[in-house]
Amino acid sequence: VIAMTSVMTFIANWNDFFRPLIFLNTAERMTLPIGMTVLNGQFGNGNLSAILAGVTITLVVPALFYVFGQKYLIEGIAGGGLKV
């Protein structure tokens, strides 16, 4: 259950957009979701190759978390749904 909660919290914070948008004001400290909007450009005319590369980089870490923690996630879901 703790592993499941930890992974879900990590993914929620990894994908968070509005909180970093409010608090961060320099380009060096931008998170990945905010950086993706910068790659898109002001009028949506950004470089598509750069945007797709950013999406790929953004998806690598959560995918690795899922691949290596899948066993614990399934155990946490199954254990939380059983009545003993």
Side-chain angles (χ1 to χ4, degrees):
V1 175
I2 294 172
M4 175 73 177
T5 305
S6 300
V7 169
M8 296 302 284
T9 302
F10 170 77
I11 290 176
N13 288 327
W14 181 263
N15 292 327
D16 193 15
F17 181 78
F18 289 112
R19 193 176 319 145
L21 183 63
I22 292 169
F23 295 124
L24 300 177
N25 55 7
T26 61
E28 292 83 24
R29 295 182 179 171
M30 285 185 183
T31 60
L32 287 173
I34 295 174
M36 294 298 300
T37 60
V38 170
L39 285 176
N40 195 17
Q42 185 176 1
F43 299 108
N45 57 356
N47 184 2
L48 186 61
S49 300
I51 294 169
L52 293 177
V55 168
T56 304
I57 292 170
T58 304
L59 292 176
V60 167
V61 174
L64 289 175
F65 260 92
Y66 179 74
V67 167
F68 291 116
Q70 182 178 7
K71 173 185 170 187
Y72 302 109
L73 287 172
I74 300 299
E75 287 177 3
I77 292 170
L82 296 177
K83 291 183 179 180
V84 180

